[in-house]
């Protein structure tokens, strides 16, 4: 029996754990040694001269469990008398790895189940045949407890960019990318453009050249550019066609069909074409007209296509350079030292960490729709995508069955926002390579990270915490914030916390090859190359602040600025006088002036018992707490409802208010956003601040007709506003009336709704 064959036989006798430990540490763990109950006598062991002799002794031994694992390991090695060369020892190590790989493919059923079930085909996922992978239960528990991330070691090498080369399919993608580069692809132009320190100072100073252009579907666009050589968007959509990766060229036109399988829709809408043109220019884009009922699905399909196109191009470039480097090394070895070849510089095609795209969505259902869109865009007619961990993803992000009362009525926008799984604490990494998608990839092995601000906040941590990590956000090249208005209703501070930790210099290298890192990443200029795509259904100063204070794209920004012609006050059905009173405020954050005005001017008018059944609508929770404490101190007869109230507290407050036992009821905007309850018994309305959503104004006003108490002639409505509420005021009263109210010398303005002529101004 030869030496190599003997090694194979002894190696196959080891268990899976022993083989794994042998591969990682070069020796077996003593924990796996078999110890007999009887105490063994101390023996002097003479090491054999060859492993053949050791094998013979092992066969003749009647009790093989007495032989320690250390002796087995020594039997696979040669004695010092053999004087093995260093090359032979390296060869043995490679042989061990070869055995492990062979065992992984041809091993027993238990070992295959540990890794191969991580890849779930769509058929298996639908039939439920694929069980949980080894360690999957523990991984989910650890993730819930904020522990170690889920790890998919089986597919780590398959999706690792550093160890992969462009195959047949990727080679075609690399060639397609090269052709697009010749056409001045915006992807290549954006990442390869080198800015100077003077450009950085100019961007940081905040001076921007602004211009307005008008597009057919998007309407009025406000274009701002910090650098003169990158002018406004203009009509570039007509000049430059979409430069897509070859994998997406044949399938992208059907993205609306895949997102809406129930109904027939147009292939690509004009709105999507204009959005894709702006995204392709790699400018920051702010689109505040993304309604969940109409434009929401089209917008999601558009930014998923753009993000996927960016990732495929970046990965194809890295894999192509890997193959080129390998070919150069093979040519050098084949040629020997006869011909001296000048060393070539490594291509700089990577960031400090692998994640390139961060997509923030408010609920798990949004993440589910994003992943489904990515899969649909990559699937072709004759071939389905290989999606790892798909069954687990469906279980965790799918819709949970909820028993909804049949008579419960909710508006259409509420149904569109809160459909599916509405859990707001999640995060998931996605790796994309060779037309395969790997879900639940570790962040440092992911191309796209899909998360909620709360889910990332638990990972990012705060200063002083021992366990925190934000290095994976250091090289984000595209940031997508979808449904930004919903983040206002959750916790805006979480989103600000994420923005502050984007594109920071990482604390650890994380195994990066610095010779291939782009220079602007090494200079800590990644935030000047990051493209931010912000989508919302409303205009809001908080969202505008994100664009102006946290986005530094050297290519500039494009924001849709369409003024509303008709306001939501036109949707008020009841006959009601609306009194708008202006507050003199020094800043947007000055809440003291509003509070003093309310306490001194407004509240005394409603303290009389005649003005009972008064609902006070408070947009901010902090203002709600301030008013609640004041009314408790003044011993005012009131009830309160907020988003943190229990069902019993809400029921009691509504009952007492409707019966007249409570004169006032405090009502927060976030409670109305999440519940949409109809409050009965309202006769007087006070808007402490204008609603964030314009249609909330008409919804609350129309509640007056649900109570059935009092006469319409006695109903009143008072709304407070300041000059910093221009956007909300325009959405409620219309742009023309809002401009008149803000410029007028009179602080009080009256509108009357419910008449045939509609709302009348002062």
């Amino acid at each position: 029996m030869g030496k190599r064959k003997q090694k194979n036989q002894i190696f196959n006798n080891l268990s899976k754990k022993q083989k794994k430990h042998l591969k990682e540490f070069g020796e077996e763990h003593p924990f796996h040694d078999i110890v007999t109950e009887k105490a063994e006598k101390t023996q002097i062991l003479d090491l054999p001269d060859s492993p053949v002799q050791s094998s013979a002794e092992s066969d003749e031994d009647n009790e093989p469990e007495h032989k320690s694992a250390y002796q087995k390991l020594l039997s696979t090695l040669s004695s010092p008398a053999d004087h093995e060369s260093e090359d032979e020892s390296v060869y043995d190590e490679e042989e061990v790895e070869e055995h492990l790989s062979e065992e992984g493919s041809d091993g027993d059923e238990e070992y295959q189940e540990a890794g191969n079930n991580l890849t779930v085909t769509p058929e298996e996922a639908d039939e439920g045949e694929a069980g949980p992978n080894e360690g999957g239960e523990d991984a989910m528990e650890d993730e819930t407890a904020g522990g170690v991330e889920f790890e998919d070691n089986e597919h780590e090498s398959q999706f690792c960019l550093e160890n992969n080369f462009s195959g047949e399919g990727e080679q075609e993608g690399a060639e397609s990318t090269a052709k697009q580069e010749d056409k001045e692809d915006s992807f290549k132009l954006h990442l390869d453009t080198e800015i100077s320190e003077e450009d950085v100072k100019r961007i940081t100073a905040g001076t921007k050249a602004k211009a307005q252009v008008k597009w057919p579907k998007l309407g009025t666009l406000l274009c701002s550019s910090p650098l003169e050589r990158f002018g406004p968007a203009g009509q570039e959509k007509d000049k430059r066609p979409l430069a897509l990766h070859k994998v997406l060229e044949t399938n992208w036109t059907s993205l609306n069909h895949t997102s809406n399988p129930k109904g027939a829709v147009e292939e690509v809408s004009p709105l999507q074409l204009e959005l894709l043109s702006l995204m392709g220019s790699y400018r920051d884009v702010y689109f505040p007209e993304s309604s969940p009922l109409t434009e929401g699905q089209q917008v999601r399909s558009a930014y998923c296509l753009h993000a996927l196109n960016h990732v495929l191009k970046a990965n194809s470039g890295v894999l192509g350079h890997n193959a080129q480097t390998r070919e150069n090394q093979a040519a050098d070895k084949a040629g020997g030292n006869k011909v001296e070849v000048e060393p070539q510089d490594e291509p700089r095609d990577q960031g400090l960490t692998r994640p390139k795209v961060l997509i923030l969505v408010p609920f798990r259902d949004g993440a589910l729709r994003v992943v489904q869109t990515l899969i649909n865009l990559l699937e072709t007619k004759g071939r389905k995508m290989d999606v790892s961990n798909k069954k687990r993803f469906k279980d965790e992000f799918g819709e949970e069955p909820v028993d909804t009362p049949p008579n419960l009525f909710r508006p259409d926008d509420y149904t569109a926002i809160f459909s599916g799984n509405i859990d707001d604490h999640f995060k998931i990494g996605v790796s994309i390579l060779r037309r395969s998608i790997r879900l639940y990839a570790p962040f440092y092995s992911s191309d796209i990270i899909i998360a909620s601000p709360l889910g990332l906040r638990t990972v990012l941590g705060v200063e002083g915490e021992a366990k925190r990590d934000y290095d994976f956000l250091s090289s984000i090249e595209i940031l997508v914030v979808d449904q930004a208005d919903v983040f206002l209703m959750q916790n805006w501070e979480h989103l600000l916390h994420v923005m502050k930790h984007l594109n920071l210099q990482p604390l650890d290298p994380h195994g990066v090859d610095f010779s291939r890192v782009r220079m602007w990443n090494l200079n800590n200029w990644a935030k000047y190359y990051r493209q931010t795509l912000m989508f919302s259904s409303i205009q809001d100063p908080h969202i505008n602040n994100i664009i102006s204070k946290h986005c530094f794209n050297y290519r500039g920004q494009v924001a849709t600025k369409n003024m509303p012609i008709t306001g939501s006050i036109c949707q008020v059905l009841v006959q009601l006088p609306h009194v708008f009173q202006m507050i003199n405020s020094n800043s947007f954050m000055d809440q003291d002036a509003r509070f003093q005005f309310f306490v001194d001017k407004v509240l005394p008018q409603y303290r009389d018992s005649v003005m009972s059944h008064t609902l006070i609508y408070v947009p901010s929770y902090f203002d709600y707490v301030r008013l609640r404490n004041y009314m408790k101190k003044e011993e005012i007869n009131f009830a309160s409802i907020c988003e943190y109230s229990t069902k019993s507290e809400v029921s009691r407050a509504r009952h007492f208010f409707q019966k007249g036992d409570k004169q006032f009821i405090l009502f927060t905007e976030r409670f109305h956003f999440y519940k949409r309850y109809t409050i009965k018994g309202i006769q007087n309305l006070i808007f402490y601040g204008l609603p964030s959503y314009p249609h909330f104004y008409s919804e609350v006003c129309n509640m007056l007709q649900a109570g059935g108490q009092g006469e319409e002639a006695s109903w009143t409505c008072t709304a407070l506003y300041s000059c910093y509420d221009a956007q909300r005021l325009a959405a409620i009263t219309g742009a023309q009336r809002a401009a008149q109210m803000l410029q007028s010398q009179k602080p009080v303005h009256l509108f009357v709704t419910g008449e045939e002529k509609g709302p009348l101004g002062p």
Side-chain angles (χ1 to χ4, degrees):
M1 185 181 295
K3 178 179 178 181
R4 182 183 179 91
K5 188 174 181 181
Q6 178 66 22
K7 286 184 180 180
N8 297 349
Q9 180 179 355
I10 298 175
F11 184 86
N12 292 332
N13 291 333
L14 300 179
S15 65
K16 296 187 298 294
K17 292 183 178 179
Q18 291 172 343
K19 295 173 185 176
K20 181 179 179 181
H21 198 278
L22 177 61
K23 176 183 177 182
E24 294 179 352
F25 301 101
E27 61 180 9
E28 290 185 315
H29 199 285
F31 178 79
H32 302 296
D33 293 352
I34 301 177
V35 182
T36 57
E37 298 180 357
K38 299 180 180 180
E40 295 183 352
K41 297 182 179 180
T42 304
Q43 299 179 357
I44 299 177
L45 177 66
D46 294 332
L47 295 179
D49 293 336
S50 66
V52 179
Q53 180 180 355
S54 173
S55 176
E57 293 177 358
S58 176
D59 295 337
E60 295 174 358
D61 196 351
N62 296 329
E63 295 180 3
E65 66 273 12
H66 288 177
K67 190 171 184 178
S68 67
Y70 181 68
Q71 297 176 19
K72 292 182 180 179
L73 181 61
L74 288 178
S75 65
T76 63
L77 304 176
S78 61
S79 61
D82 291 340
H83 300 287
E84 287 188 347
S85 64
E86 184 177 356
D87 295 338
E88 291 176 350
S89 63
V90 173
Y91 175 78
D92 290 340
E93 183 178 351
E94 294 176 352
E95 187 179 2
V96 170
E97 295 181 359
E98 180 183 354
H99 279 291
L100 288 177
S101 61
E102 292 175 356
E103 188 70 14
S105 58
D106 299 327
D108 54 31
E109 182 179 358
E110 180 184 358
Y111 182 74
Q112 286 190 355
E113 184 180 4
N116 293 343
N117 279 350
L118 289 174
T119 303
V120 181
T121 61
E123 293 83 356
E124 292 173 345
D126 296 336
E127 297 173 3
E129 294 177 359
N133 51 52
E134 185 178 83
E137 301 287 343
D138 298 336
M140 285 188 283
E141 294 177 2
D142 292 342
E143 185 179 9
T144 305
V148 183
E149 272 189 61
F150 172 80
E151 293 185 359
D152 186 2
N153 295 327
E154 177 71 14
H155 297 82
E156 188 68 34
S157 59
Q158 177 185 352
F159 287 87
C160 180
L161 290 179
E162 290 76 11
N163 299 333
N164 275 275
F165 309 96
S166 58
E168 296 179 359
E170 295 295 331
Q171 188 68 30
E172 295 177 358
E175 294 176 358
S176 174
T177 304
K179 294 179 181 178
Q180 291 166 355
E181 290 174 5
D182 296 338
K183 297 179 182 179
E184 295 186 350
D185 184 13
S186 56
F187 166 81
K188 186 71 174 175
L189 290 175
H190 175 64
L191 296 182
D192 288 352
T193 300
E194 296 290 342
I195 60 176
S196 62
E197 293 185 4
E198 295 181 358
D199 295 336
V200 171
K201 292 179 181 178
R202 193 173 304 172
I203 296 172
T204 308
T207 57
K208 299 178 182 178
K210 297 184 179 180
Q212 278 192 1
V213 296
K214 199 160 187 178
W215 283 19
K217 285 296 180 181
L218 293 176
T220 303
L221 301 179
L222 179 61
C223 308
S224 57
S225 179
L227 304 180
E228 296 179 357
R229 61 181 183 272
F230 303 105
Q235 295 296 326
E236 287 190 10
K237 64 183 182 65
D238 299 329
K239 299 177 182 178
R240 178 172 297 172
L242 294 176
L244 296 176
H245 192 273
K246 187 173 183 179
V247 177
L248 302 173
E249 283 180 352
T250 58
N251 203 31
W252 75 280
T253 55
S254 61
L255 52 89
N256 285 339
H257 289 283
T258 55
S259 61
N260 295 318
K262 296 182 180 179
V265 294
E266 55 185 340
E267 290 188 349
V268 181
S269 66
L271 175 65
Q272 289 175 318
L273 289 176
E274 294 187 4
L275 284 175
L276 287 171
S277 178
L278 291 179
M279 296 176 191
S281 67
Y282 280 91
R283 292 178 174 88
D284 293 342
V285 179
Y286 175 32
F287 181 61
E289 300 176 11
S290 176
S291 170
L293 289 172
T294 53
E295 298 88 0
Q297 293 181 348
Q298 298 182 26
V299 168
R300 183 187 305 111
S301 300
Y303 72 68
C304 285
L305 175 64
H306 175 63
L308 189 59
N309 185 47
H310 182 88
V311 169
L312 289 175
K313 287 183 178 180
N315 288 354
S316 296
V318 173
L319 296 177
H321 291 151
N322 289 348
Q324 184 178 1
T325 303
R326 182 180 63 169
E327 291 176 0
N328 294 338
Q329 293 176 353
D332 293 343
K333 290 182 179 179
N337 298 328
K338 297 180 181 179
V339 181
E340 294 183 1
V341 181
E342 295 183 0
Q344 298 180 356
D345 295 336
E346 290 284 344
R348 296 193 175 273
D349 53 7
Q350 301 177 13
L352 292 169
T353 52
R354 179 172 172 179
K356 309 170 188 64
V357 179
L358 173 63
I359 301 177
L360 297 177
V361 289
F363 302 118
R364 284 181 181 260
D365 180 72
L368 175 66
R369 295 176 185 271
V370 168
V371 172
Q372 288 176 341
T373 305
L374 296 177
I375 295 174
N376 292 334
L377 287 172
L378 287 173
E379 279 185 342
T380 56
K381 293 183 179 180
R383 178 181 178 184
K384 289 190 175 182
M385 287 297 300
D386 183 14
V387 183
S388 305
N389 312 314
K390 187 174 183 179
K391 184 177 184 301
R392 178 192 171 190
F393 177 74
K394 283 187 175 181
D395 293 340
E396 295 186 7
F397 286 80
E399 183 176 1
E400 299 175 356
V402 179
D403 296 332
T404 305
N407 59 346
L408 189 63
F409 172 77
R410 291 290 184 269
D412 293 338
D413 66 296
Y414 178 89
T415 305
I417 294 175
F418 294 99
S419 61
N421 193 331
I422 58 172
D423 179 30
D424 62 348
H425 187 187
F426 62 91
K427 54 189 182 296
I428 182 172
V430 181
S431 298
I432 300 173
L433 195 65
R434 296 184 180 177
R435 299 189 180 183
S436 300
I437 294 182
R438 174 190 177 201
L439 304 177
Y440 293 98
F443 281 173
Y444 291 98
S445 301
S446 303
D447 296 305
I448 302 175
I449 296 176
I450 308 171
S452 65
L454 176 60
L456 280 186
R457 179 70 181 264
T458 56
V459 180
L460 301 179
V462 295
E463 259 189 75
E465 290 187 3
K467 190 175 183 180
R468 57 180 309 211
D469 187 13
Y470 51 84
D471 289 355
F472 57 88
L473 299 177
S474 62
S475 298
I476 295 296
E477 297 167 1
I478 295 179
L479 168 66
V480 179
V481 182
D482 195 9
Q483 295 180 279
D485 53 288
V486 180
F487 297 143
L488 288 169
M489 298 294 109
Q490 293 179 339
N491 193 327
W492 191 251
E493 291 296 325
H494 294 336
L495 179 60
L496 293 178
H497 191 73
V498 173
M499 298 299 298
K500 293 176 182 177
H501 288 79
L502 281 173
N503 301 119
L504 299 179
Q505 203 76 1
L507 302 178
D508 298 319
H510 301 284
V512 65
D513 183 4
F514 287 98
S515 64
R516 296 185 64 173
V517 177
R518 302 184 188 93
M519 291 305 300
W520 49 265
N521 281 108
L522 298 176
N523 293 336
N524 198 21
W525 289 352
K527 65 180 180 180
Y528 304 114
Y529 287 79
R530 186 190 74 232
Q531 181 188 32
T532 303
L533 307 177
M534 186 82 66
F535 304 102
S536 171
S537 64
I538 59 173
Q539 294 262 10
D540 192 87
H542 293 89
I543 304 176
N544 296 337
N545 181 69
I546 292 288
I547 296 294
S548 59
K549 302 297 182 182
H550 296 274
C551 299
F552 306 94
N553 191 346
Y554 77 90
R555 286 191 171 268
Q557 302 168 350
V558 178
T560 304
K561 296 291 184 181
N562 295 320
M563 300 303 295
I565 300 175
T566 59
S568 63
I569 194 173
C570 298
Q571 301 170 2
V572 178
L573 304 177
V574 297
Q575 186 173 354
L576 182 68
H578 305 260
V579 179
F580 288 83
Q581 299 191 24
M582 187 171 183
I583 306 169
N584 294 324
S585 181
N586 296 326
S587 67
F588 175 74
M589 302 302 296
D590 184 14
Q591 301 300 330
D592 294 335
R594 186 182 298 269
F595 177 76
Q596 289 299 327
F597 185 88
F598 176 81
V599 171
D600 298 337
K601 304 292 184 181
V602 180
L603 191 59
Q605 302 175 12
Y606 293 85
R607 293 289 297 270
D608 192 354
S609 59
V610 179
M611 305 295 289
S612 61
H613 297 276
T614 300
L615 182 141
I616 304 175
Y617 182 95
V618 188
S620 171
Y621 179 77
F622 300 104
D623 292 336
Y624 163 81
V625 173
R626 189 175 187 178
L627 288 176
R628 185 185 61 185
N629 295 340
Y630 172 80
M631 298 179 79
K632 283 183 179 180
K633 182 180 178 181
E634 296 294 324
E635 297 181 352
I636 298 176
N637 186 22
F638 78 102
S640 60
I641 298 178
C642 70
E643 57 272 22
Y644 302 109
S645 302
T646 61
K647 288 185 177 180
S648 58
E649 292 173 347
V650 173
S651 299
R652 286 196 299 268
R654 296 174 65 188
H655 174 75
F656 292 147
F657 178 73
Q658 183 179 4
K659 296 299 182 183
D661 297 338
K662 300 294 183 181
Q663 183 178 358
F664 295 91
I665 182 170
L666 290 178
F667 186 80
T668 63
E669 182 174 73
R670 283 201 285 182
F671 174 81
H672 183 66
F673 175 79
Y674 283 105
K675 300 299 182 182
R676 306 290 178 94
Y677 287 175
T678 299
I679 307 300
K680 297 180 179 181
I682 304 174
Q683 297 182 16
N684 304 286
L685 273 176
I686 300 177
F687 286 92
Y688 186 82
L690 298 180
S692 302
Y693 291 87
H695 62 277
F696 282 5
Y697 184 88
S698 58
E699 285 182 6
V700 175
C701 289
N702 289 330
M703 289 182 186
L704 274 74
Q705 64 182 359
Q709 295 182 0
E711 298 180 358
E712 291 187 4
S714 62
W715 291 347
T716 64
C717 177
T718 301
L720 308 182
Y721 72 96
S722 69
C723 60
Y724 298 98
D725 297 327
Q727 292 178 336
R728 296 184 180 183
L729 185 64
I732 293 174
T733 64
Q736 185 176 358
R737 289 195 180 98
Q740 295 175 357
M741 295 167 64
L742 293 173
Q743 296 173 3
S744 175
Q745 299 296 328
K746 296 187 298 184
V748 181
H749 302 273
L750 175 65
F751 296 86
V752 179
T753 58
E755 298 181 348
E756 294 181 359
K757 296 181 181 180
L760 299 178

